[in-house]
Amino acid sequence: MLSNRWTGVVRGLVILAAIGVWLAVGAFGGQAQGQLSSVQTNDAGAFLPANAESTEAAELASQFTDDESLPALVVAETADGAQITEEQLAEVQAFADAAPDAALEGTSGDEPATVGDASIADPVVVPSEDGEAALVVVSLDAALAQEDVGSEESSVSELAIDALRDLSAADVADGGLAGSGLESWVTGPAGFVADLVAAFGAIDTVLLLVALGAVLVILALVYRSPVLPFVVIFNAVLALSLAGLVVYHLAADDILTLNGQSQGILSILVVGASVDYALLVVARYREELLGTPSPYTALRRAVRASVEPIAASAGTVVAGLLCLLLSDLSSNRSLGPVAAIGIVAAFLSAFTLLPALLLVGGRRARWVFWPRVPHATGSTTGDQDATDERPATVAAAEAVDDDTQVAVAGHGVWSRVARFVGRHDRRVWIVTALVLAAGAAFVPTLDAEGTGESEVFLTQVDSVDGEEALTRHFDDVSAQPTIVVAPADDLDAVVEAAEGTDGVAAAVPVTDDPAPAPGAPPQGDPAVVDGRVRVDVTTSAPSDSQDAVETVSALRDTVHDVSPEALVGGAAAERLDTQAAGQRDLRVIVPVVLVVVLVILMLLLRSVLAAVLLMAANVLSFGAALGVAAVLFNHVFDFPGADPSVPLYAFCFLVALGVDYSIFLMTRVREESLRVGTRQGVLRGLAVTGSVITSAGVVLAATFAALGVIPLLFLAQLAFIVAFGVLVDTLVVRSLLVPALVHDIGDRAWWPARLARHTAR
């Protein structure tokens, strides 16, 4: 009696200690999670490898200027194509005169501005040749513009752009443009950065709230309990806090690169994985409670039974995502470790925090299931370990007549699905495979060559509208010209080749004296640094568009023909190199992920054939998801295209996450097959796991769908592909294709393991 009392005390202390440690993690990790945006890097150029042509060109081009600038372009346009008046030009000039002070005040934060005079040069006003618009060029110092200011944790450029937009919306009497008869926008590189940061700003709050809200609703429907959904959500939130704490310090110390996309994916992945793992543990725990009155014994059995498939699932996802380390882009390379950290955090919380929360209340811990409290129906009593480790529902499952008749207590719907699969196995797997193959046939229609920067926004933003106005009136002005650095002896040939390239509007050498205004002819002789010259090339299309990227691709060919040592860089060249690296990553990483996941499946299932079947089924499922997405993107949503990283990320997530549900099913099938043979085992496994795995798939699909609240093309496309693909994996592959195929093959599915020769007794 004394021994049992002390055992209870020790258990209670362990439970309290586990919860206390996780609460501390939540306290520190919650703060770190809220500060992740302050350690983001969203500059595409920073993601390129050092040997990329645009990276090398940027390094050499910086030698031709004292300070690199980040231009903010304010475009003011008259209404209905009217000519701009002298009075309106004077009002634009007054705005330009007020812009530096307004921008500096906006960057001051809680303390006086420390960015110095060099950060905002005197603005230049440029009337358009058609007389319908005026351009104000406000140059921010590129280095200082990235620094955080004050307690806002916003960069100088973000706050300066906000201040310029506020000033342009002010009345003419206050130095603004309201009431002048002009419509104005703030665009240019600085404007796009500010709008991109604003779009990612919803990740910290809106995205997480939407995801948690959707999961809470689903859990309430699954558990029909007022308590258990909050236990699972609390477990997920603390897992995210742990992941955020680790990622924040690694990013702050420059060990990994975090961007807005990775941060959004981290939140979704941790919440989805945590809830999935919790669903599996809780479902097995509930089963075990039907066989013993002791919550401790039931949970111990549940953990033993759950740890192998969940560990295999987590290991598969981690291994698949770490294959992104092979990427040429640091943004892709960093996503691998970031997401892997999230999965590890979810796994740790599922087997430390969640069990502690489920045992709060000691022997009365069943209260978390109220009002549907499971009660023991078996003969096991007390706190002793039962010799039969099988869950009560499996022990209650009895074959009726033949292996196609399965009766599993509490699993009526899935018992009927199992009987249907057992009776029509060959017909089921052939039909489902053909349907998936039909969807996969549309994969070649997916346009994943890349998109322009202005096309990444799904909502109307100031920088995109301003870019359109800039294109209408200033064909010869480029805020981010394409840069050619070449040997001085090749200057004339390079200029001639550039001007002869389709899509190039102008090619101007950089001189010792800068041009007085954008588009103005150069002053003085070409500048020569270490025997090289720099030529700024203006493309007819905006530098942030896909048309400009294609022009730069042609420009490289023509320039390299006349000067093999020349380097072509600039914003459009960076996008070109990024897209080329993304396409290379697809060719390299996809086969590696397939091999890694296949090896893990072989080790887990102790079978070559079963692993190959699961891998083939999930690749077919991914193809179907991508093919359906291609049709919808092209003909329903009318998307302009996709970045190469979209199918890469989707592949890594769907193959790694999608195979999870087959893992959860097949580990249970293997457990049953050892007792009753493969054909009966696959039907019992499907009937018992059907409800919980379906719930897990719906939860993960809902969390990834929440990415759609961020109004960016990349995240919206990824959200759809992964959410739809997870549902296909859950409802078609795991429910119909895999069980029907394994049932049709029978014991041979486990070849070459001994189980392939097993005969149920």
Side-chain angles (χ1 to χ4, degrees):
M1 196 69 177
L2 182 63
S3 175
N4 288 339
R5 182 179 303 171
W6 278 108
T7 299
V9 170
V10 172
R11 283 173 173 164
L13 291 175
V14 171
I15 291 171
L16 291 176
I19 295 176
V21 169
W22 276 100
L23 288 176
V25 169
F28 292 102
Q31 297 178 11
Q33 181 70 23
Q35 297 174 345
L36 284 178
S37 58
S38 66
V39 292
Q40 283 184 15
T41 300
N42 291 303
D43 177 15
F47 301 143
L48 289 168
N51 62 353
E53 183 172 346
S54 57
T55 303
E56 296 178 351
E59 183 177 351
L60 294 176
S62 64
Q63 301 174 7
F64 290 83
T65 58
D66 294 332
D67 297 299
E68 290 292 329
S69 64
L70 184 68
L73 305 181
V74 183
V75 186
E77 180 185 53
T78 60
D80 301 325
Q83 292 291 300
I84 194 168
T85 66
E86 291 296 329
E87 181 181 0
Q88 288 173 325
L89 275 177
E91 290 165 345
V92 172
Q93 185 62 58
F95 166 83
D97 293 339
D101 288 339
L104 283 174
E105 289 175 5
T107 64
S108 63
D110 293 336
E111 300 176 359
T114 58
V115 293
D117 295 335
S119 64
I120 301 181
D122 292 335
V124 178
V125 178
V126 183
S128 64
E129 291 185 1
D130 61 13
E132 298 174 4
L135 174 66
V136 180
V137 181
V138 183
S139 297
L140 307 176
D141 182 274
L144 293 174
Q146 302 304 317
E147 294 184 1
D148 292 341
V149 177
S151 60
E152 298 287 336
E153 293 182 352
S154 298
S155 69
V156 170
S157 61
E158 297 164 43
L159 297 176
I161 292 301
D162 289 342
L164 289 175
R165 286 173 175 165
D166 290 341
L167 178 62
S168 67
D171 191 75
V172 171
D174 298 321
L177 296 175
S180 65
L182 298 172
E183 188 174 3
S184 63
W185 304 269
V186 180
T187 183
F192 275 105
V193 168
D195 287 335
L196 191 63
V197 171
F200 280 129
I203 287 177
D204 289 337
T205 53
V206 177
L207 175 61
L208 194 55
L209 290 176
V210 169
L212 291 176
V215 170
L216 189 60
V217 170
I218 296 171
L219 291 176
L221 295 174
V222 171
Y223 289 130
R224 301 177 211 172
S225 166
V227 178
L228 200 50
F230 289 98
V231 171
V232 174
I233 288 292
F234 184 65
N235 175 74
V237 170
L238 291 190
L240 181 59
S241 297
L242 174 60
L245 182 64
V246 176
V247 170
Y248 173 79
H249 287 290
L250 291 178
D253 293 337
D254 295 326
I255 297 176
L256 57 77
T257 302
L258 178 72
N259 62 4
Q261 295 171 354
S262 297
Q263 183 181 341
I265 292 171
L266 173 68
S267 300
I268 291 302
L269 189 61
V270 174
V271 170
S274 296
V275 174
D276 273 9
Y277 299 161
L279 280 167
L280 293 167
V281 173
V282 171
R284 195 68 186 243
Y285 176 44
R286 187 184 183 94
E287 290 180 15
E288 298 294 352
L289 284 173
L290 297 174
T292 176
S294 170
Y296 301 109
T297 300
L299 187 60
R300 183 165 59 250
R301 294 177 184 173
V303 169
R304 286 179 185 172
S306 303
V307 68
E308 182 180 13
I310 294 179
S313 166
T316 301
V317 178
V318 168
L321 291 173
L322 287 180
C323 292
L324 289 171
L325 290 171
L326 299 174
S327 173
D328 274 350
L329 298 173
S330 62
S331 54
N332 289 349
R333 286 199 304 274
S334 68
L335 176 62
V338 167
I341 289 168
I343 293 296
V344 172
F347 178 82
L348 291 176
S349 69
F351 289 101
T352 55
L353 175 61
L354 181 63
L357 294 174
L358 292 175
L359 290 178
V360 171
R363 294 182 179 276
R364 297 179 178 82
R366 299 168 189 259
W367 69 275
V368 297
F369 292 95
W370 184 87
R372 303 173 66 203
V373 179
H375 295 287
T377 58
S379 59
T380 306
T381 60
D383 191 31
Q384 62 185 3
D385 288 331
T387 56
D388 185 1
E389 290 291 334
R390 291 178 295 128
T393 50
V394 173
E398 297 293 340
V400 180
D401 296 335
D402 58 46
D403 67 0
T404 66
Q405 303 295 317
V406 180
V408 181
H411 298 277
V413 173
W414 287 99
S415 182
R416 291 193 292 272
V417 172
R419 285 197 295 270
F420 174 79
V421 169
R423 290 173 181 148
H424 311 286
D425 50 12
R426 186 163 300 177
R427 187 183 309 170
V428 168
W429 75 257
I430 290 176
V431 170
T432 52
L434 289 175
V435 171
L436 294 175
F442 293 95
V443 169
T445 66
L446 179 68
D447 178 11
E449 296 297 319
T451 59
E453 186 174 1
S454 60
E455 295 172 327
V456 304
F457 297 98
L458 296 180
T459 56
Q460 188 174 15
V461 294
D462 204 50
S463 57
V464 174
D465 293 342
E467 182 74 37
E468 293 174 353
L470 186 70
T471 303
R472 286 195 296 269
H473 303 290
F474 297 92
D475 292 338
D476 57 346
V477 173
S478 176
Q480 293 180 297
T482 297
I483 299 168
V484 180
V485 180
D489 294 340
D490 297 337
L491 175 59
D492 293 338
V494 166
V495 171
E496 181 180 356
E499 291 177 337
T501 303
D502 290 340
V504 171
V508 179
V510 171
T511 61
D512 294 321
D513 299 321
Q523 308 292 314
D525 297 325
V528 179
V529 177
D530 294 335
R532 299 185 183 91
V533 291
R534 167 177 164 173
V535 179
D536 286 354
V537 178
T538 302
T539 56
S540 301
S543 59
D544 57 2
S545 67
Q546 189 63 18
D547 288 340
V549 171
E550 295 172 0
T551 298
V552 168
S553 179
L555 176 65
R556 280 184 171 171
D557 292 337
T558 57
V559 167
H560 291 162
D561 286 342
V562 299
S563 179
E565 297 181 21
L567 298 173
V568 179
E574 289 175 357
R575 296 190 72 84
L576 175 62
D577 289 340
T578 299
Q579 292 168 8
Q583 292 164 1
R584 173 263 178 198
D585 289 347
L586 270 174
R587 296 190 299 270
V588 172
I589 296 176
V590 166
V592 175
V593 171
L594 288 174
V595 171
V596 169
V597 174
L598 182 62
V599 170
I600 293 176
L601 287 175
M602 289 179 180
L603 295 175
L604 172 67
L605 300 175
R606 290 88 160 174
S607 165
V608 173
L609 183 56
V612 170
L613 292 177
L614 292 189
M615 195 77 261
N618 280 275
V619 170
L620 186 60
S621 172
F622 167 73
L626 202 61
V628 171
V631 173
L632 295 178
F633 291 173
N634 294 336
H635 304 293
V636 178
F637 302 129
D638 196 26
F639 287 151
D643 190 83
S645 58
V646 170
L648 175 63
Y649 284 13
F651 178 84
C652 291
F653 284 121
L654 279 181
V655 170
L657 292 173
V659 81
D660 281 1
Y661 304 110
S662 295
I663 287 176
F664 298 149
L665 169 66
M666 291 302 292
T667 50
R668 189 61 176 264
V669 169
R670 190 177 191 281
E671 178 184 330
E672 291 301 315
S673 298
L674 290 170
R675 298 175 48 249
V676 297
T678 301
R679 284 193 167 90
Q680 180 73 305
V682 71
L683 301 184
R684 289 186 177 183
L686 176 59
V688 174
T689 63
S691 178
V692 63
I693 295 179
T694 299
S695 300
V698 172
V699 165
L700 190 62
T703 53
F704 265 94
L707 280 173
V709 303
I710 308 299
L712 296 172
L713 181 65
F714 171 90
L715 292 180
Q717 291 174 329
L718 185 64
F720 177 85
I721 296 173
V722 177
F724 179 74
V726 166
L727 291 178
V728 171
D729 278 322
T730 306
L731 302 177
V732 179
V733 174
R734 186 271 316 175
S735 300
L736 299 173
L737 178 58
V738 169
L741 190 57
V742 173
H743 188 275
D744 189 19
I745 296 175
D747 290 336
R748 290 170 298 173
W750 303 108
W751 182 87
R754 183 179 302 175
L755 188 57
R757 301 180 296 277
H758 173 76
T759 301
R761 290 178 294 178

